Structures are given as C-alpha cells and as structure tokens.
C-alpha cells in the first residue's frame, strides 16, 4: 500500500491536515479448524495483506467513517449514540470497539477514519477481525489508553460477541494482534498460552486460493455445530471438548448416541491432536508430514464436520492433483472462503493456472490466488 496515496485519499475525504496511519493484517489458519471455540489449539499466522486506516482526532464528539475497502457511503454519528445499526454492517465492527473503550472509561473525542485495504472480504481471512483490531490500536494510540495488545485482543473478541452479535472464538483477534513476520503461532485458545513457530519453507510457499463463492450458510451452520459441541462437553463433564484427550474421548464416545453429533465431536478431538503434531513438524522442517496433516484436516472437515461444500472441495481436489503440492485444505469457518496450499516454488505458476482452470470448469466460478507472505500484527505504520 502506498501510504502517500492513503494520505491523499484521506485529505480528499476530510480536508487538509495531518493524519496518522495504522495497519492490521488478515490471518490464515494453517491447521486447527473449529477447535478454537472448543478450547483447543490452532496454528494461525498474520498475513501481509490487511486493512489500512488513516485517522485524525476531532475537536467535537462526531465519529466519521469512510471506506474505499467496503465501497459504501460514509457514515457519521455522535460518540454519545454508539449503537448497533444493521444498515451499516462494516461500521459495527468499529463501533463495537468504541463501545468497549467507553466501558473502560477512556476519554475519547470524535475522529475521522478512512479504511482501505487489500484483504478480500468474506473470504475466511478475517477481514472483520482485521477491522476491529485496527480500530483498537488506533484508539489505544490516539488517546494514550495504554492497553497491552493481549487486552486489545480480548476487547475485540468481546465487541464481536456482544456488540456485533457474532459468537466467535478468539483465534482471529489473537493472531491479528500478536502476529509476527515469518512466524505462525501455536495458540491454546483455552488458556491463551502460545509460542511462535518459525515458518522456514525455503523451496516452498503457502498459496491462498479464494473460491469467490457465497458463504450464506456459514452463520447458521456455525451456530448449530457450536451448540452441539457445547452440549457434548456438558454431557461428558468438561468445560470444553478439547479438555478431553484422544484416549478419554474414545473411552466415552459410546455415550454420544446421535451419529451426526458424534462425527462433529470426532473432528474436533482429532483436529486438535493434528494441530499439535503439525506445529512440531513445522518446527522440525518436516514439510511432507505437515502437508499430509493439512490433507487429513480437510478430509475431516469435509466428512465429519461437513463445513466445506462444493466450491472448497473443488479447489482442494484440484490442488491435490498438481505436481509439487505437499498439502491443501480449507481455511476459516467454511462454506466458501479460501483454501491454503503448500506448494513447491518451481510449480506455483502452473499450480495457479491449472487449479484455476479445473476449478472454473467444475464450478463455473473464477478463483483468486495470493502468495501468503507472513507479516506482523496490528500496529502504527506512520
């Protein structure tokens, strides 16, 4: 992103004067899907793609928001009237953060904000969490609130849960806030204990493929699966499903009498174990073994958790058929969005060409491809 262009866009929107610039990345989850809200492990990394924000303090209490990223009309409201408004969907992620800072007793004034970015929306790369953490870092810096990043992460999750009304886990916010260049993080979503895992691929790269398909079923299906997991945790006497070891689960599995619910739980338990093993393989540079676990993860998400769908399966199956691919899987909540593939550098060009062609022939849709450069977390950039 050209920061001079961003400044010029801000001035065109709000008039002359200084502004401050910030960036919050998107994230890609390498493995560990639907384990976060079950108290398990995930292995995400922050992307270099993300959301940029230009911001300026005002002398009054007016909040003004504009965006080239979301292509909607500017929104203006008072700091004394911060309420959810379904007509301004993208603004709610910002207002939820403002609401949380007000609850902390922060002394805020009005602000002018312009958002731009190169992170595709509704693609499973956490564009909404990127916006939330961006707003959190901006308010924290502008008004000297001195909240540590981990507290901004928790604050952003609360805003998403309570203000926006999305019952998400903490993985997206944590990886976007705490990300480090060229590192993934193995995060225990129950305790928030984590360690950074160097991503040393050398002859390979991570390629993100966007299905560009609708994700209309994602919210209702997500809520249904989460409810089933929580019910089984209660049945088996644990707070979270991932409190169960594989051995403990297998000893208790007979108590889950509904076949569909059993499949959901099987995915969560074995995916959690796969994630721990995958982090070890990545640390050791065992990329073939790591890729194999990526494949196993997708199969489980397809057959047990049933959150992939035709578009994601078509992209992954096309990837599996290509030379130089060590592994490929869906990433994110599912029902559309993106896949992540581990591809030998020498084959990336043909990978993109052939996967794109095969995917279009099978689905009628055109995929988008990105090389997943791993970047730093949310921060001031100027």
């Amino acid at each position: 992103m050209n920061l001079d262009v961003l400044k010029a866009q801000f001035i065109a929107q709000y008039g002359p004067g200084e502004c401050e610039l910030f960036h919050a990345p998107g994230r890609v989850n390498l493995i560990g899907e639907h384990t976060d809200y079950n108290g398990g492990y995930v292995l995400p990394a922050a992307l270099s793609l993300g959301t940029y924000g230009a911001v300026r303090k005002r002398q009054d209490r007016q909040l003004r928001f504009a965006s080239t990223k979301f292509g909607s009309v500017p929104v203006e409201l008072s700091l004394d009237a911060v309420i959810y408004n379904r007509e301004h969907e993208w603004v709610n992620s910002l207002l939820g953060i403002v609401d949380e800072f007000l609850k902390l007793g922060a002394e805020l004034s009005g602000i002018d904000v312009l958002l731009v970015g190169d992170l595709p929306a509704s693609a499973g790369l956490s564009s909404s969490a990127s916006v939330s953490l961006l707003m959190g870092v901006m308010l924290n810096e502008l008004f000297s609130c001195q909240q540590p990043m981990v507290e901004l992460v928790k604050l952003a999750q609360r805003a998403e849960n309570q203000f926006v009304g999305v019952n998400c886990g903490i993985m997206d916010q944590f990886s976007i806030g705490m990300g480090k260049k060229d590192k993934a993080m193995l995060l225990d979503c129950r305790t928030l204990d984590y360690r950074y895992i160097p991503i040393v691929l050398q002859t390979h790269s991570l390629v993100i493929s966007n299905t560009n398909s609708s994700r209309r079923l994602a919210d209702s299906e997500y809520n249904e699966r989460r409810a089933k997991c929580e019910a089984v945790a209660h049945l088996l006497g644990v707070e979270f499903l991932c409190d169960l070891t594989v051995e403990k689960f297998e000893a208790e599995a007979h108590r889950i009498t509904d076949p569909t619910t059993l499949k959901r739980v099987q995915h969560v338990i074995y995916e959690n174990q796969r994630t721990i093993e995958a982090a070890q393989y990545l640390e050791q540079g065992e990329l073939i073994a790591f890729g194999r676990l990526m494949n196993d993860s997708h199969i489980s998400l397809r057959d047990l958790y049933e959150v992939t769908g035709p578009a994601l399966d078509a992209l992954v199956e096309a990837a599996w058929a290509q030379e130089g691919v060590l592994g490929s899987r869906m990433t994110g909540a599912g029902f559309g969005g993106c896949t992540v593939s581990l591809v030998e550098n020498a084959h990336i060009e043909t990978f993109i060409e052939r996967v794109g062609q095969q995917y279009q022939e099978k689905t009628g849709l055109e995929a988008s491809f990105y090389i997943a450069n791993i970047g730093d977390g949310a921060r001031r950039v100027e």
Side-chain angles (χ1 to χ4, degrees):
M1 177 71 195
N2 187 316
L3 299 184
D4 289 333
V5 171
L6 175 55
K7 288 180 182 179
Q9 291 174 322
F10 183 89
I11 289 169
Q13 180 70 43
Y14 294 117
E18 293 297 317
C19 61
E20 299 180 54
L21 307 183
F22 295 82
H23 179 258
R27 69 96 187 96
V28 61
N29 192 28
L30 303 181
I31 195 168
E33 223 64 78
H34 292 279
T35 50
D36 59 337
Y37 54 83
N38 285 299
Y41 285 94
V42 292
L43 190 65
L47 296 168
S48 57
L49 299 173
T51 311
Y52 287 85
V55 61
R56 175 197 294 159
K57 282 186 182 181
R58 296 175 57 84
Q59 298 303 310
D60 57 21
R61 294 181 65 78
Q62 288 302 104
L63 303 171
R64 299 198 296 179
F65 303 114
S67 173
T68 63
K69 175 182 172 69
F70 298 101
S72 57
V73 296
V75 174
E76 182 172 349
L77 70 156
S78 170
L79 193 54
D80 301 310
V82 176
I83 58 172
Y84 179 89
N85 187 335
R86 68 175 59 190
E87 293 181 9
H88 307 304
E89 183 176 356
W90 66 273
V91 175
N92 289 318
S93 292
L94 303 173
L95 294 180
I97 302 299
V98 174
D99 184 60
E100 286 293 328
F101 272 86
L102 292 173
K103 289 176 181 176
L104 291 175
E107 296 184 5
L108 307 181
S109 70
I111 52 174
D112 292 334
V113 175
L114 175 67
L115 299 186
V116 303
D118 48 15
L119 186 69
S122 302
L125 301 178
S126 296
S127 59
S128 62
S130 175
V131 168
S132 296
L133 261 297
L134 179 67
M135 189 64 172
V137 171
M138 289 195 298
L139 293 180
N140 201 45
E141 293 271 342
L142 284 177
F143 298 101
S144 302
C145 297
Q146 299 182 332
Q147 293 292 313
M149 181 58 77
V150 72
E151 292 304 318
L152 295 181
V153 165
K154 295 175 184 177
L155 178 153
Q157 187 199 18
R158 286 198 305 272
E160 195 77 3
N161 291 167
Q162 299 171 16
F163 190 91
V164 180
V166 176
N167 196 22
C168 63
I170 202 168
M171 172 183 67
D172 294 351
Q173 294 82 4
F174 199 95
S175 53
I176 289 168
M178 304 291 287
K180 281 193 177 182
K181 183 175 172 58
D182 296 329
K183 290 180 172 60
M185 62 180 74
L186 180 66
L187 170 66
D188 182 340
C189 295
R190 191 185 201 286
T191 65
L192 298 189
D193 291 336
Y194 67 98
R195 76 174 192 269
Y196 290 106
I197 310 292
I199 297 180
V200 184
L201 303 180
Q202 296 179 330
T203 58
H204 292 75
S205 294
L206 294 164
V207 180
I208 295 172
S209 308
N210 188 353
T211 62
N212 291 314
S213 65
S214 169
R215 302 179 69 220
R216 285 173 296 180
L217 291 175
D219 288 345
S220 61
E221 296 284 353
Y222 172 94
N223 290 335
E224 179 267 337
R225 281 157 180 75
R226 182 163 183 165
K228 284 186 181 295
C229 291
E230 290 171 350
V232 172
H234 179 74
L235 171 70
L236 299 183
V238 293
E239 185 176 1
F240 296 101
L241 275 185
C242 292
D243 290 342
L244 297 169
T245 63
V246 170
E247 293 75 19
K248 177 68 172 175
F249 162 70
E250 289 176 347
E252 298 286 338
H254 65 278
R255 298 174 59 188
I256 306 170
T257 55
D258 175 59
T260 299
T261 301
L262 179 59
K263 288 198 300 182
R264 306 291 186 252
V265 177
Q266 285 174 323
H267 165 75
V268 172
I269 298 298
Y270 298 127
E271 180 81 349
N272 196 48
Q273 183 61 34
R274 270 191 294 272
T275 304
I276 296 169
E277 294 174 3
Q280 294 169 347
Y281 286 134
L282 194 59
E283 276 186 311
Q284 296 162 6
E286 297 286 347
L287 296 186
I288 293 175
F290 180 82
R292 188 162 52 244
L293 290 179
M294 292 176 71
N295 296 341
D296 291 345
S297 173
H298 186 85
I299 291 167
S300 179
L301 288 158
R302 181 191 67 193
D303 297 345
L304 298 179
Y305 222 63
E306 297 181 288
V307 292
T308 58
L312 284 168
D313 288 338
L315 262 186
V316 167
E317 288 162 11
W320 285 344
Q322 305 309 313
E323 187 176 359
V325 175
L326 298 186
S328 185
R329 62 182 291 276
M330 62 155 271
T331 183
F335 301 105
C338 291
T339 68
V340 57
S341 305
L342 184 56
V343 184
E344 190 175 352
N345 292 335
H347 296 280
I348 287 177
E349 188 174 337
T350 54
F351 170 88
I352 291 173
E353 178 183 348
R354 292 175 182 174
V355 170
Q357 180 182 0
Q358 292 173 24
Y359 175 70
Q360 189 167 32
E361 289 172 354
K362 191 163 187 178
T363 67
L365 299 170
E366 185 173 346
S368 304
F369 298 90
Y370 311 86
I371 306 300
N373 296 312
I374 307 304
D376 288 317
R379 66 203 184 279
R380 181 196 293 270
V381 292
E382 188 174 313

